[in-house]
């Protein structure tokens, strides 16, 4: 079972049109199977986001500095089989838009966890 974090930050809101759910995996051992369409772009001073340039889907988020990162976030929607995913917490809830409430009772954090 992989834990998902729902991110309510403005950037995730803009990219997903609502909120974004992702899990985090160790970068070592991760193999990109469609690297020919995986495109990274610098999304902030410290991070980059990966998307598919063929279909536009959000795929990943990682720290830009390869020496500083151990993990890569993988977007829930990019998994072919989502049965092993489980939402466990909400982050950046102080940044969420006001048009919805979080009512699932899961832990909430004002910024990152
Ligand atoms: Zn976010």
């Amino acid at each position: 079972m992989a834990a998902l974090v729902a991110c309510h930050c403005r950037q995730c809101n803009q990219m997903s049109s609502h909120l974004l759910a992702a899990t985090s995996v160790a970068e070592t051992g991760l193999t990109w199977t469609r690297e020919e369409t995986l495109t990274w772009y610098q999304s902030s001073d410290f991070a980059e986001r990966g998307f598919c340039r063929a279909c536009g889907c959000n795929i990943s988020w990682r720290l830009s500095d390869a020496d500083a990162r151990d993990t890569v976030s993988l977007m829930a929607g990019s998994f072919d089989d989502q049965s092993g995913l489980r939402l466990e917490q909400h982050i950046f809830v102080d940044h969420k838009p006001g048009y919805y409430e979080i009512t699932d009772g899961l832990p909430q954090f004002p910024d990152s966890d």
Side-chain angles (χ1 to χ4, degrees), residues 16-76:
S16 69
S17 185
H18 187 46
L19 58 88
L20 194 145
T23 190
S24 185
V25 299
E27 188 168 34
T28 55
L30 174 65
T31 303
W32 298 107
T33 58
R34 301 276 179 88
E35 215 162 4
E36 67 276 8
T37 57
L38 176 62
T39 303
W40 293 95
Y41 79 98
Q42 192 77 35
S43 59
S44 69
D45 292 344
F46 58 91
E48 53 195 21
R49 290 176 184 255
F51 68 97
C52 175
R53 72 173 165 272
C55 71
C57 287
N58 294 319
I59 296 170
S60 187
W61 179 98
R62 67 184 182 188
L63 292 175
S64 306
D65 182 354
D67 294 331
R69 71 174 180 250
D70 310 321
T71 61
V72 174
S73 294
L74 298 175
M75 306 317 173

Side-chain angles (χ1 to χ4, degrees), residues 75-86:
M75 306 317 173
S78 67
F79 283 77
D80 291 333
D81 178 2
Q82 297 177 317
S83 61
L85 303 176
R86 179 186 204 91

Side-chain angles (χ1 to χ4, degrees), residues 7-9 11-12 49 92:
C7 184
H8 301 264
C9 80
Q11 194 174 77
C12 287
R49 290 176 184 255
F92 289 98

